[in-house]
Amino acid sequence: MNDSAGLLLTAAQMREIIAHCRSERPNEACGLLAGRGGRVLRVYPARNAERSPQSFLIHPDDQLRAMSEMERDGLEFTAVYHSHPTSDAVPSHRDIQLATYPEALNLIVSLKREPVVCRAYRIVGGHQSEVPLAIEKEAPDVRSK
Amino acid sequence: MSCKVRIPAPLRRYTGDAAELHLDAATVGDLVKTIEAGHPGFAAKVLDDKGQLRRFINIYVNQEDIRFAGGLGTPLKDGDEVSIIPAIAGGDTSPAAPVDSPAWGR
Ligand SMILES: [Zn+2]
């Protein structure tokens, strides 16, 4: 479970996520984030099995691979990220309805306009609430944990 | 024939918080029945009312998606690792998008 209330990423991780979201345009991009206590230590870009500008479904093979690795390495499933190519960084009705993993936060990247807007949410039991999203410059050292 | 079954967080409330089960079963379908016998309510989360695998549930035997193997009839052998994983999905602001019919993109 997530110890802290928000989501903490490095600037490099954020750049990687945004670059992935841009590269999938016009379709939505999606992926998983693993870490500890809200701090992201690993980014897992995934294929959008729906290949759609309006929806995403993390390719189950990519999901299995990422989740197996998290389990093997003792990492938490910190968050799911996905892009909104043409709308705001706010969870859609479908995002809220389909949220399956209550322990994972949701990071939404809006590509609607420049600069892109990223916001994080907790979605549990059909309700969403925004949580703080912090970007830090230094890369965390996984080995020192 | 003992298999290791990995249960992800969203389904653990139906397995008494167990993250891993070790069970004997001849097929994936039998495995679901065996889990159901010990944890009533579990099967309904995985199978629909026709007994088919739910659209947003994926079951893997080792690294293979059973939808592309033998479905619920996929045979199990000693030492197999079974992962039951609810899909992760969502959508943009399109209220018209039907929630129960994702197009599997492959
Ligand atoms: Zn969305």
Side-chain angles (χ1 to χ4, degrees), chain B residues 5 7-8 39 45 66 68 80 87-88:
Chain B
V5 189
I7 311 288
H39 304 280
K45 294 293 152 189
I66 65 163
F68 302 95
D80 276 347
I88 299 171

Side-chain angles (χ1 to χ4, degrees), chain A residues 22 25 46 53 56 59 61 65 70 75 80 83 87-88 97 101 110 118 120 127 129 131 139 143 145:
Chain A
R22 286 191 204 278
R25 252 187 325 197
F56 75 94
H59 196 298
D61 289 355
R65 201 174 313 120
M70 289 177 209
L75 296 175
V80 175
S83 64
S87 64
D88 294 323
Q97 223 172 343
Y101 293 81
S110 168
C118 304
H127 298 281
S129 53
V131 299
R143 290 157 301 176
K145 291 280 161 181

Side-chain angles (χ1 to χ4, degrees), chain A residues 28 56 82 84 92 95 108, chain B residues 91-92:
Chain A
E28 288 197 14
F56 75 94
H82 76 281
H84 282 180
S92 69
D95 290 340
I108 301 180
Chain B
D92 209 336

Side-chain angles (χ1 to χ4, degrees), chain B residues 5-106:
Chain B
V5 189
R6 297 161 64 201
I7 311 288
L11 291 173
R12 283 179 205 158
R13 80 185 88 153
Y14 307 103
T15 59
D17 281 335
E20 207 175 286
L21 298 170
H22 293 267
L23 296 168
D24 293 336
T27 64
V28 173
D30 288 345
L31 183 76
V32 174
K33 281 186 201 137
T34 305
I35 298 174
E36 172 70 18
H39 304 280
F42 178 84
K45 294 293 152 189
V46 175
L47 307 178
D48 63 20
D49 47 16
K50 295 188 184 87
Q52 298 300 306
L53 192 59
R54 283 188 181 277
R55 206 176 274 279
F56 282 105
I57 295 284
N58 302 296
I59 300 184
Y60 284 76
V61 175
N62 302 318
Q63 309 307 319
E64 186 155 29
D65 186 339
I66 65 163
R67 281 196 175 85
F68 302 95
L72 292 169
T74 303
L76 296 173
K77 57 184 190 307
D78 203 28
D80 276 347
E81 197 172 302
V82 180
S83 303
I84 301 174
I85 54 173
I88 299 171
D92 209 336
T93 45
S94 60
V99 161
D100 202 27
S101 55
W104 290 81
R106 47 182 178 173

